[in-house]
């Protein structure tokens, strides 16, 4: 099972608030078989404790520490929002849902952080015209 596929990507999504955006990202992980629906509730719970906004228009919601046992396989989901959503006073347009088995989340976080910290790559992600194009950007960026 791949960490990211076209089935775990939504382009031009609309969300009324950060919780709706998190539910979109979480449901993609559920549909792909990475996590059960209860993990999405843990993503919401985690956001209520502390914002998962990382800067530069990116939020990376994930479950609480006690939800690790729920994760069936490592995966990410990517939601590109049509318009910004408020994440604790910060505006996000890219929401990356994260579910990682064991210590894989550290490697995953660092490779994702490198990819999205590059302004050109972030611009390419936000302007991707297809799920396939977005998937290529992530595959290339996470390999380097």
């Amino acid at each position: 099972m791949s960490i990211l596929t076209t089935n775990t990507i939504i382009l031009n999504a609309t969300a009324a608030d950060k919780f709706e955006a998190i539910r979109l990202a979480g449901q993609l992980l559920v549909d792909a078989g990475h996590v059960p629906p209860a993990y999405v509730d843990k993503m919401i719970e985690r956001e209520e404790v502390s914002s998962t906004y990382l800067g530069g228009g990116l939020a990376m919601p994930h479950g609480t520490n006690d939800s690790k046992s729920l994760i069936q396989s490592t995966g990410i989901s990517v939601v590109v929002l049509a318009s910004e959503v408020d994440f604790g006073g910060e505006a996000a347009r890219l929401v990356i849902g994260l579910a990682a088995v064991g210590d894989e989340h550290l490697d995953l976080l660092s490779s994702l952080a490198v990819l999205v910290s590059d302004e050109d790559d972030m611009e390419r992600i936000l302007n991707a015209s297809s799920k396939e194009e977005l998937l290529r950007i992530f595959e290339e960026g996470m390999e380097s």
Side-chain angles (χ1 to χ4, degrees):
M1 182 182 297
S2 295
I3 289 176
L4 179 65
T5 67
T6 54
N7 292 334
T8 52
I9 295 171
I10 300 176
L11 300 179
N12 296 315
T14 55
D17 58 27
K18 67 180 178 178
F19 297 112
E20 189 175 341
I22 292 168
R23 288 192 188 286
L24 284 171
Q27 190 60 48
L28 290 170
L29 294 170
V30 171
D31 293 346
H34 294 295
V35 297
Y39 185 80
V40 181
D41 295 332
K42 292 294 188 177
M43 292 172 78
I44 297 292
E45 187 180 310
R46 167 69 179 80
E47 189 66 33
E48 288 171 339
V49 171
S50 170
S51 178
T52 56
Y53 183 82
L54 297 179
L58 168 69
M60 202 175 298
H62 51 279
T64 57
N65 285 338
D66 69 346
S67 67
K68 281 238 168 248
S69 62
L70 297 173
I71 301 169
Q72 295 152 349
S73 59
T74 297
I76 61 173
S77 60
V78 178
V79 177
V80 178
L81 297 163
S83 57
E84 296 173 335
V85 170
D86 184 320
F87 266 79
E90 300 288 350
R93 273 210 50 222
L94 179 61
V95 179
I96 299 177
L98 181 63
V101 174
D103 292 330
E104 290 180 9
H105 70 282
L106 297 175
D107 292 336
L108 202 49
L109 276 172
S110 62
S111 61
L112 285 168
V114 168
L115 171 65
V116 297
S117 65
D118 183 292
E119 284 184 32
D120 291 337
D121 284 336
M122 185 67 164
E123 200 61 34
R124 287 174 55 215
I125 290 166
L126 294 176
N127 294 315
S129 58
S130 70
K131 292 179 179 188
E132 293 76 14
E133 179 184 355
L134 189 89
L135 183 59
R136 274 194 307 277
I137 294 166
F138 272 83
E139 286 173 344
E140 291 165 8
M142 291 176 71
E143 286 171 6
S144 57

